[in-house]
Amino acid sequence: MSDDEREEKELDLSSSEVVTKYKSAAEIVNKALQLVVKECKPKAKIVDICEQGDAFIREQTGNMYKNSKKKIERGVAFPTCLSVNNTVCHFSPLASDTSELEEGDMVKIDMGCHIDGFIAVVAHTHVVQSGPITGKQADVVAAANTAAEVALRLVRPGKKNKDVSDAIQKVAAAYDCKIVEGVLSHQLKQFVIDGNKVILSISNPDTRVDDAEFEENEVYAVDIVASTGEGKPKLLDEKQTTIYKRAVDKNYHLKMKASRFIFSEINQRFPILPFTARALEEKRARLGLVECVNHDLLQPYPVLYEKPGDYVAHIKFTVLLMPNGSDRITSHPLQELQPTKTIDDPEIKAWLALGTKTKKKGGGKKKKGKKGDKAEGGAEGEAMDASTNGGAS
Protein backbone atom coordinates (compact mmCIF):
# COMPACT_ATOMS: atom_id res chain seq x y z
CA MET A 1 0.00 0.00 0.00
CA SER A 2 1.42 3.36 -1.04
CA ASP A 3 0.71 4.98 2.36
CA ASP A 4 2.75 2.29 4.10
CA GLU A 5 5.59 2.82 1.66
CA ARG A 6 5.48 6.52 2.44
CA GLU A 7 5.64 5.71 6.15
CA GLU A 8 8.58 3.39 5.55
CA LYS A 9 10.55 6.28 4.08
CA GLU A 10 11.07 8.37 7.20
CA LEU A 11 10.07 11.98 6.68
CA ASP A 12 12.93 14.33 7.47
CA LEU A 13 14.17 17.82 6.63
CA SER A 14 15.01 16.84 3.04
CA SER A 15 11.27 17.43 2.45
CA SER A 16 10.39 21.15 2.24
CA GLU A 17 6.87 20.32 3.44
CA VAL A 18 8.33 18.87 6.66
CA VAL A 19 10.50 21.95 7.21
CA THR A 20 7.42 24.16 6.76
CA LYS A 21 5.47 22.16 9.36
CA TYR A 22 8.30 22.39 11.90
CA LYS A 23 8.58 26.15 11.32
CA SER A 24 4.81 26.67 11.53
CA ALA A 25 4.71 24.77 14.84
CA ALA A 26 7.65 26.88 16.05
CA GLU A 27 5.96 30.14 15.09
CA ILE A 28 2.89 29.16 17.11
CA VAL A 29 4.81 27.99 20.19
CA ASN A 30 6.97 31.14 20.14
CA LYS A 31 3.80 33.29 20.12
CA ALA A 32 2.27 31.14 22.87
CA LEU A 33 5.40 31.65 24.97
CA GLN A 34 5.20 35.40 24.39
CA LEU A 35 1.59 35.35 25.64
CA VAL A 36 2.50 33.27 28.73
CA VAL A 37 5.42 35.58 29.64
CA LYS A 38 3.04 38.58 29.51
CA GLU A 39 0.65 36.79 31.89
CA CYS A 40 3.38 36.10 34.48
CA LYS A 41 2.42 38.79 37.01
CA PRO A 42 2.15 38.83 40.80
CA LYS A 43 -1.07 37.16 42.04
CA ALA A 44 -1.68 35.38 38.70
CA LYS A 45 -2.87 31.79 39.16
CA ILE A 46 -0.40 29.31 37.69
CA VAL A 47 -3.09 26.94 36.41
CA ASP A 48 -4.83 29.79 34.56
CA ILE A 49 -1.62 30.71 32.74
CA CYS A 50 -0.96 27.05 31.83
CA GLU A 51 -4.49 26.82 30.42
CA GLN A 52 -4.02 30.01 28.40
CA GLY A 53 -0.81 28.66 26.85
CA ASP A 54 -2.43 25.37 25.83
CA ALA A 55 -5.63 27.06 24.61
CA PHE A 56 -3.64 29.42 22.37
CA ILE A 57 -1.76 26.51 20.78
CA ARG A 58 -5.00 24.55 20.23
CA GLU A 59 -6.72 27.58 18.67
CA GLN A 60 -3.83 28.52 16.37
CA THR A 61 -3.14 24.97 15.17
CA GLY A 62 -6.88 24.41 14.75
CA ASN A 63 -6.92 27.20 12.15
CA MET A 64 -4.35 25.39 9.99
CA TYR A 65 -4.97 22.69 7.39
CA LYS A 66 -8.72 23.06 7.86
CA ASN A 67 -9.42 22.18 4.23
CA SER A 68 -6.87 19.41 3.91
CA LYS A 69 -8.31 16.22 2.37
CA LYS A 70 -6.13 14.11 4.65
CA LYS A 71 -6.76 14.48 8.39
CA ILE A 72 -3.73 16.24 9.85
CA GLU A 73 -3.23 15.89 13.61
CA ARG A 74 -2.10 19.10 15.28
CA GLY A 75 -2.11 20.76 18.67
CA VAL A 76 -0.24 20.68 21.99
CA ALA A 77 2.91 18.53 21.88
CA PHE A 78 3.85 19.22 25.51
CA PRO A 79 1.48 20.84 28.02
CA THR A 80 2.40 24.30 29.32
CA CYS A 81 4.33 24.08 32.62
CA LEU A 82 5.27 26.89 35.01
CA SER A 83 7.90 25.74 37.50
CA VAL A 84 8.81 28.40 40.07
CA ASN A 85 12.15 29.08 41.88
CA ASN A 86 13.55 25.75 43.18
CA THR A 87 10.92 23.71 41.30
CA VAL A 88 12.90 22.20 38.43
CA CYS A 89 10.25 21.06 35.95
CA HIS A 90 6.80 19.74 34.94
CA PHE A 91 4.63 21.85 37.28
CA SER A 92 1.30 22.10 35.46
CA PRO A 93 -1.32 21.87 38.21
CA LEU A 94 -4.92 20.64 38.18
CA ALA A 95 -7.81 23.12 37.99
CA SER A 96 -8.36 22.90 41.77
CA ASP A 97 -4.81 24.14 42.54
CA THR A 98 -4.60 27.69 43.93
CA SER A 99 -0.84 28.38 43.53
CA GLU A 100 -0.09 31.97 42.50
CA LEU A 101 2.98 33.79 41.24
CA GLU A 102 4.67 36.38 43.46
CA GLU A 103 6.94 39.33 42.79
CA GLY A 104 10.53 38.13 42.28
CA ASP A 105 9.56 34.54 41.38
CA MET A 106 11.82 32.85 38.85
CA VAL A 107 9.49 31.03 36.44
CA LYS A 108 10.53 28.28 34.04
CA ILE A 109 8.01 28.10 31.18
CA ASP A 110 8.05 24.88 29.16
CA MET A 111 5.70 24.09 26.25
CA GLY A 112 5.39 22.39 22.87
CA CYS A 113 3.32 22.44 19.68
CA HIS A 114 3.07 20.06 16.74
CA ILE A 115 1.66 20.05 13.25
CA ASP A 116 1.22 16.60 11.70
CA GLY A 117 3.48 15.23 14.44
CA PHE A 118 6.35 17.60 13.63
CA ILE A 119 7.19 19.02 17.03
CA ALA A 120 8.58 22.38 18.17
CA VAL A 121 9.33 22.73 21.88
CA VAL A 122 10.62 25.68 23.87
CA ALA A 123 11.51 26.55 27.47
CA HIS A 124 12.34 29.98 28.82
CA THR A 125 13.13 31.52 32.22
CA HIS A 126 11.40 34.72 33.30
CA VAL A 127 11.65 36.60 36.60
CA VAL A 128 8.43 38.29 37.76
CA GLN A 129 9.85 41.81 38.11
CA SER A 130 10.62 44.92 36.11
CA GLY A 131 14.22 45.99 35.65
CA PRO A 132 17.34 43.85 35.23
CA ILE A 133 17.89 40.44 36.83
CA THR A 134 20.82 40.56 39.24
CA GLY A 135 22.85 38.38 41.64
CA LYS A 136 22.46 34.59 41.70
CA GLN A 137 19.29 34.71 39.63
CA ALA A 138 21.21 36.46 36.83
CA ASP A 139 24.12 34.00 37.17
CA VAL A 140 21.91 30.93 36.74
CA VAL A 141 19.96 32.37 33.78
CA ALA A 142 23.23 33.40 32.14
CA ALA A 143 24.64 29.91 32.79
CA ALA A 144 21.66 28.20 31.13
CA ASN A 145 21.54 30.67 28.25
CA THR A 146 25.27 30.65 27.50
CA ALA A 147 25.26 26.83 27.71
CA ALA A 148 22.36 26.84 25.21
CA GLU A 149 24.31 29.15 22.88
CA VAL A 150 27.34 26.83 23.05
CA ALA A 151 25.14 23.75 22.51
CA LEU A 152 23.59 25.40 19.42
CA ARG A 153 27.08 25.68 17.95
CA LEU A 154 28.10 22.11 18.84
CA VAL A 155 24.93 20.24 17.82
CA ARG A 156 25.98 20.01 14.20
CA PRO A 157 26.79 17.24 11.73
CA GLY A 158 30.03 15.45 12.55
CA LYS A 159 30.03 16.42 16.24
CA LYS A 160 29.22 13.90 19.00
CA ASN A 161 26.70 14.06 21.85
CA LYS A 162 29.50 13.79 24.44
CA ASP A 163 31.11 17.01 23.08
CA VAL A 164 27.94 18.89 24.04
CA SER A 165 27.60 17.35 27.53
CA ASP A 166 31.18 18.28 28.45
CA ALA A 167 30.85 21.82 27.09
CA ILE A 168 27.61 22.76 28.88
CA GLN A 169 29.02 21.59 32.21
CA LYS A 170 32.09 23.74 31.68
CA VAL A 171 29.91 26.80 30.92
CA ALA A 172 27.75 26.30 34.05
CA ALA A 173 30.86 25.99 36.22
CA ALA A 174 32.11 29.34 34.87
CA TYR A 175 29.01 30.92 36.46
CA ASP A 176 29.46 28.90 39.67
CA CYS A 177 26.33 26.90 38.81
CA LYS A 178 25.60 23.24 38.12
CA ILE A 179 23.87 21.61 35.17
CA VAL A 180 20.95 19.61 36.57
CA GLU A 181 21.31 15.82 36.42
CA GLY A 182 18.89 13.61 34.52
CA VAL A 183 17.96 16.13 31.82
CA LEU A 184 18.07 14.65 28.32
CA SER A 185 18.07 16.48 25.00
CA HIS A 186 16.29 14.24 22.49
CA GLN A 187 16.22 13.89 18.76
CA LEU A 188 12.72 14.74 17.48
CA LYS A 189 10.96 12.77 14.76
CA GLN A 190 7.39 12.74 13.48
CA PHE A 191 5.17 12.05 16.54
CA VAL A 192 8.31 11.18 18.58
CA ILE A 193 9.19 13.69 21.32
CA ASP A 194 11.87 11.47 22.89
CA GLY A 195 13.88 9.94 20.05
CA ASN A 196 16.67 7.43 20.68
CA LYS A 197 19.56 9.78 19.91
CA VAL A 198 20.10 11.83 23.07
CA ILE A 199 22.47 14.30 24.69
CA LEU A 200 22.96 13.66 28.39
CA SER A 201 23.27 16.81 30.48
CA ILE A 202 25.75 15.16 32.86
CA SER A 203 27.62 11.91 32.37
CA ASN A 204 27.46 9.80 35.51
CA PRO A 205 27.64 6.07 36.23
CA ASP A 206 23.85 5.78 36.82
CA THR A 207 22.83 7.28 33.50
CA ARG A 208 24.52 6.02 30.39
CA VAL A 209 23.55 6.85 26.84
CA ASP A 210 24.90 5.50 23.57
CA ASP A 211 27.53 7.59 21.84
CA ALA A 212 25.94 9.28 18.85
CA GLU A 213 27.01 11.58 16.06
CA PHE A 214 24.73 14.34 14.78
CA GLU A 215 23.72 14.13 11.12
CA GLU A 216 22.31 16.47 8.52
CA ASN A 217 18.49 16.67 8.32
CA GLU A 218 18.02 15.73 11.99
CA VAL A 219 16.01 17.75 14.50
CA TYR A 220 16.86 18.11 18.22
CA ALA A 221 15.23 19.57 21.30
CA VAL A 222 18.24 20.95 23.17
CA ASP A 223 17.32 21.09 26.85
CA ILE A 224 19.48 22.96 29.36
CA VAL A 225 18.62 23.24 33.07
CA ALA A 226 21.07 25.00 35.41
CA SER A 227 20.91 25.42 39.19
CA THR A 228 22.59 27.47 41.91
CA GLY A 229 22.27 24.32 44.07
CA GLU A 230 23.67 20.80 43.74
CA GLY A 231 21.86 19.96 40.49
CA LYS A 232 20.45 16.74 41.99
CA PRO A 233 16.67 17.22 41.93
CA LYS A 234 14.30 15.16 44.09
CA LEU A 235 10.71 14.02 43.73
CA LEU A 236 8.83 15.30 46.80
CA ASP A 237 5.24 14.31 46.11
CA GLU A 238 4.01 11.89 43.42
CA LYS A 239 0.54 13.42 43.71
CA GLN A 240 1.86 16.58 42.04
CA THR A 241 2.53 14.69 38.80
CA THR A 242 -0.03 15.73 36.19
CA ILE A 243 1.78 15.15 32.88
CA TYR A 244 1.91 11.68 31.35
CA LYS A 245 2.65 10.02 28.05
CA ARG A 246 1.17 6.78 26.77
CA ALA A 247 3.82 4.03 26.80
CA VAL A 248 2.85 2.64 23.40
CA ASP A 249 4.80 -0.61 23.75
CA LYS A 250 3.03 -1.66 26.99
CA ASN A 251 -0.28 -3.48 27.49
CA TYR A 252 -2.14 -4.67 30.59
CA HIS A 253 -5.75 -5.56 31.39
CA LEU A 254 -6.76 -2.94 33.96
CA LYS A 255 -8.91 -4.16 36.87
CA MET A 256 -10.69 -0.94 37.94
CA LYS A 257 -13.56 0.48 35.93
CA ALA A 258 -12.29 4.07 36.49
CA SER A 259 -8.87 3.07 35.15
CA ARG A 260 -10.33 1.42 32.05
CA PHE A 261 -12.50 4.47 31.37
CA ILE A 262 -9.58 6.92 31.72
CA PHE A 263 -7.22 4.72 29.71
CA SER A 264 -9.74 4.43 26.89
CA GLU A 265 -10.10 8.23 26.84
CA ILE A 266 -6.30 8.66 26.78
CA ASN A 267 -5.96 6.24 23.88
CA GLN A 268 -8.56 8.16 21.90
CA ARG A 269 -7.42 11.71 22.68
CA PHE A 270 -3.69 11.43 23.51
CA PRO A 271 -2.42 8.23 21.90
CA ILE A 272 1.23 9.29 21.49
CA LEU A 273 2.26 12.70 22.81
CA PRO A 274 2.35 13.95 26.45
CA PHE A 275 -0.88 15.31 27.93
CA THR A 276 -2.05 16.90 31.18
CA ALA A 277 -4.44 15.23 33.60
CA ARG A 278 -6.26 18.59 33.61
CA ALA A 279 -7.80 17.51 30.31
CA LEU A 280 -9.49 14.57 32.06
CA GLU A 281 -12.33 14.64 34.59
CA GLU A 282 -10.43 15.32 37.83
CA LYS A 283 -11.98 12.90 40.34
CA ARG A 284 -12.06 9.98 37.91
CA ALA A 285 -8.55 10.77 36.68
CA ARG A 286 -7.08 10.68 40.21
CA LEU A 287 -8.43 7.16 40.67
CA GLY A 288 -7.69 5.80 37.22
CA LEU A 289 -4.23 7.19 36.54
CA VAL A 290 -2.64 5.42 39.53
CA GLU A 291 -3.35 1.92 38.19
CA CYS A 292 -2.27 2.94 34.67
CA VAL A 293 1.08 4.24 36.01
CA ASN A 294 1.60 1.25 38.33
CA HIS A 295 1.39 -1.08 35.34
CA ASP A 296 3.66 1.09 33.15
CA LEU A 297 0.91 1.98 30.67
CA LEU A 298 1.75 5.64 31.20
CA GLN A 299 5.11 7.32 31.57
CA PRO A 300 4.89 10.06 34.24
CA TYR A 301 6.73 13.38 34.03
CA PRO A 302 7.33 14.02 37.75
CA VAL A 303 7.60 17.45 39.37
CA LEU A 304 11.18 17.67 40.70
CA TYR A 305 12.75 20.06 43.19
CA GLU A 306 16.11 21.43 44.19
CA LYS A 307 16.52 22.60 47.83
CA PRO A 308 14.52 25.64 49.03
CA GLY A 309 16.50 28.80 48.32
CA ASP A 310 18.12 27.36 45.18
CA TYR A 311 17.35 28.99 41.84
CA VAL A 312 16.85 26.94 38.70
CA ALA A 313 16.89 28.27 35.11
CA HIS A 314 15.66 26.39 32.04
CA ILE A 315 16.32 27.12 28.36
CA LYS A 316 15.14 24.69 25.68
CA PHE A 317 15.09 25.18 21.95
CA THR A 318 14.34 23.22 18.79
CA VAL A 319 17.08 23.16 16.17
CA LEU A 320 16.92 21.91 12.57
CA LEU A 321 20.24 20.59 11.22
CA MET A 322 19.80 21.92 7.70
CA PRO A 323 22.31 21.44 4.85
CA ASN A 324 23.27 25.15 5.14
CA GLY A 325 23.75 25.01 8.93
CA SER A 326 21.82 24.94 12.20
CA ASP A 327 18.48 26.71 12.33
CA ARG A 328 17.21 27.46 15.84
CA ILE A 329 13.46 27.84 15.39
CA THR A 330 12.22 28.41 18.98
CA SER A 331 13.33 31.11 21.42
CA HIS A 332 12.29 34.18 23.39
CA PRO A 333 14.40 37.26 24.29
CA LEU A 334 15.72 37.29 27.86
CA GLN A 335 15.30 40.11 30.35
CA GLU A 336 18.42 42.22 30.94
CA LEU A 337 20.94 40.23 32.96
CA GLN A 338 23.60 41.59 35.31
CA PRO A 339 25.46 38.44 36.38
CA THR A 340 28.23 38.57 38.97
CA LYS A 341 30.49 36.43 36.74
CA THR A 342 31.89 36.96 33.25
CA ILE A 343 33.24 34.41 30.76
CA ASP A 344 37.03 34.54 30.60
CA ASP A 345 37.69 30.94 29.57
CA PRO A 346 39.25 30.95 26.06
CA GLU A 347 37.66 27.61 25.10
CA ILE A 348 34.13 28.86 25.93
CA LYS A 349 34.83 32.11 24.07
CA ALA A 350 35.99 30.09 21.05
CA TRP A 351 32.78 28.00 21.10
CA LEU A 352 30.65 31.15 21.28
CA ALA A 353 32.53 32.64 18.32
CA LEU A 354 31.61 29.70 16.08
CA GLY A 355 29.06 30.41 13.36
CA THR A 356 25.84 28.42 13.07
CA LYS A 357 25.79 28.42 9.28
CA THR A 358 27.83 26.16 7.03
CA LYS A 359 30.13 27.73 4.46
CA LYS A 360 29.37 26.48 0.95
CA LYS A 361 32.43 24.95 -0.71
CA GLY A 362 33.84 27.29 -3.35
CA GLY A 363 30.78 29.48 -3.07
CA GLY A 364 32.39 32.90 -3.60
CA LYS A 365 32.09 35.47 -0.84
CA LYS A 366 29.60 34.21 1.71
CA LYS A 367 28.54 36.12 4.79
CA LYS A 368 29.74 34.07 7.68
CA GLY A 369 30.39 34.06 11.38
CA LYS A 370 28.86 36.31 13.98
CA LYS A 371 27.31 38.96 11.75
CA GLY A 372 25.16 36.54 9.83
CA ASP A 373 24.26 34.60 12.94
CA LYS A 374 23.12 37.72 14.75
CA ALA A 375 20.90 38.81 11.91
CA GLU A 376 19.44 35.34 11.69
CA GLY A 377 19.40 34.56 15.41
CA GLY A 378 17.98 37.88 16.61
CA ALA A 379 16.83 37.29 20.16
CA GLU A 380 19.43 34.67 20.96
CA GLY A 381 22.31 36.85 19.80
CA GLU A 382 21.24 39.70 22.06
CA ALA A 383 20.54 37.33 24.91
CA MET A 384 24.02 35.88 24.64
CA ASP A 385 25.59 39.33 24.75
CA ALA A 386 23.56 40.15 27.84
CA SER A 387 24.67 37.00 29.57
CA THR A 388 28.34 37.24 28.72
CA ASN A 389 28.88 41.01 28.95
CA GLY A 390 26.22 41.93 31.49
CA GLY A 391 28.60 41.41 34.40
CA ALA A 392 30.59 44.47 33.38
CA SER A 393 27.63 46.82 33.60
Side-chain angles (χ1 to χ4, degrees):
M1 197 174 125
S2 61
D3 250 11
D4 285 353
E5 282 161 27
R6 196 179 72 87
E7 287 306 316
E8 276 304 301
K9 183 184 177 304
E10 209 168 77
L11 288 169
D12 67 14
L13 301 179
S14 56
S15 151
S16 62
E17 192 189 347
V18 168
V19 174
T20 300
K21 285 173 179 172
Y22 273 117
K23 289 191 171 179
S24 300
E27 194 180 334
I28 291 170
V29 85
N30 285 336
K31 282 182 182 163
L33 174 55
Q34 211 174 337
L35 170 92
V36 167
V37 168
K38 278 198 185 116
E39 294 301 322
C40 287
K41 300 169 188 153
K43 299 285 168 248
K45 261 176 82 176
I46 291 177
V47 65
D48 291 349
I49 304 175
C50 291
E51 272 300 317
Q52 281 172 291
D54 290 351
F56 181 86
I57 290 172
R58 284 194 297 268
E59 178 198 331
Q60 296 292 310
T61 53
N63 291 334
M64 300 185 74
Y65 296 100
K66 272 182 169 171
N67 304 320
S68 169
K69 289 191 175 78
K70 178 178 170 251
K71 183 174 186 257
I72 290 187
E73 299 283 345
R74 55 212 192 275
V76 174
F78 197 85
T80 306
C81 301
L82 263 66
S83 305
V84 177
N85 296 333
N86 64 313
T87 313
V88 176
C89 55
H90 305 148
F91 190 77
S92 187
L94 297 173
S96 54
D97 189 275
T98 56
S99 311
E100 292 180 347
L101 294 178
E102 291 175 22
E103 181 76 26
D105 275 349
M106 179 175 258
V107 187
K108 275 84 60 197
I109 303 158
D110 188 3
M111 59 204 314
C113 169
H114 81 96
I115 290 170
D116 197 19
F118 297 105
I119 299 163
V121 287
V122 69
H124 174 74
T125 301
H126 177 79
V127 178
V128 183
Q129 67 178 52
S130 53
I133 305 174
T134 57
K136 278 191 161 186
Q137 285 188 326
D139 288 345
V140 75
V141 176
N145 185 61
T146 310
E149 289 291 340
V150 167
L152 173 63
R153 287 153 174 78
L154 296 181
V155 177
R156 58 198 310 162
K159 290 278 186 192
K160 299 214 161 49
N161 53 357
K162 191 179 182 306
D163 301 336
V164 182
S165 306
D166 294 345
I168 62 175
Q169 286 175 70
K170 185 167 189 176
V171 171
Y175 287 99
D176 208 10
C177 292
K178 293 262 186 14
I179 292 292
V180 171
E181 287 183 6
V183 178
L184 296 173
S185 297
H186 286 274
Q187 184 183 2
L188 299 172
K189 293 184 177 184
Q190 190 179 23
F191 289 109
V192 180
I193 201 165
D194 49 4
N196 291 335
K197 266 190 174 180
V198 299
I199 305 160
L200 190 57
S201 52
I202 289 198
S203 328
N204 64 25
D206 304 338
T207 327
R208 282 264 161 81
V209 298
D210 293 337
D211 287 342
E213 190 173 297
F214 306 116
E215 294 172 52
E216 202 173 279
N217 292 327
E218 290 181 337
V219 182
Y220 285 88
V222 178
D223 204 350
I224 311 280
V225 186
S227 170
T228 58
E230 290 176 10
K232 298 182 183 209
K234 303 268 187 300
L235 170 65
L236 298 184
D237 182 2
E238 278 180 17
K239 289 194 188 75
Q240 283 191 322
T241 304
T242 59
I243 297 177
Y244 301 90
K245 182 169 80 76
R246 169 82 173 93
V248 287
D249 54 341
K250 295 282 193 298
N251 285 298
Y252 174 80
H253 184 69
L254 293 158
K255 305 287 185 283
M256 284 168 57
K257 191 176 174 184
S259 310
R260 290 198 297 274
F261 180 87
I262 285 294
F263 191 58
S264 161
E265 188 180 353
I266 291 165
N267 277 331
Q268 279 165 22
R269 294 175 58 198
F270 314 107
I272 299 172
L273 292 168
F275 64 92
T276 164
R278 250 195 334 274
L280 309 167
E281 198 271 309
E282 192 167 323
K283 199 172 172 190
R284 203 172 224 161
R286 276 185 196 279
L287 281 168
L289 288 169
V290 176
E291 192 184 4
C292 295
V293 171
N294 287 347
H295 293 285
D296 301 324
L297 295 177
L298 297 177
Q299 175 194 323
Y301 286 80
V303 180
L304 301 175
Y305 291 87
E306 279 279 66
K307 291 188 174 132
D310 292 341
Y311 288 113
V312 180
H314 187 186
I315 304 278
K316 176 162 53 177
F317 62 88
T318 304
V319 61
L320 313 181
L321 303 191
M322 303 294 287
N324 65 342
S326 303
D327 192 355
R328 174 178 178 168
I329 57 171
T330 59
S331 66
H332 189 284
L334 291 170
Q335 292 155 288
E336 188 194 333
L337 300 177
Q338 293 180 355
T340 66
K341 309 276 189 295
T342 50
I343 293 283
D344 300 315
D345 186 286
E347 190 176 21
I348 298 174
K349 282 183 164 176
W351 287 327
L352 290 169
L354 292 169
T356 59
K357 294 296 171 203
T358 309
K359 274 197 293 180
K360 289 275 179 276
K361 288 179 183 130
K365 286 187 179 177
K366 278 275 176 191
K367 270 205 289 184
K368 65 183 176 82
K370 280 264 181 147
K371 219 173 201 173
D373 295 342
K374 275 271 176 75
E376 174 264 331
E380 303 91 81
E382 290 161 35
M384 190 185 86
D385 288 350
S387 67
T388 49
N389 302 337
S393 55

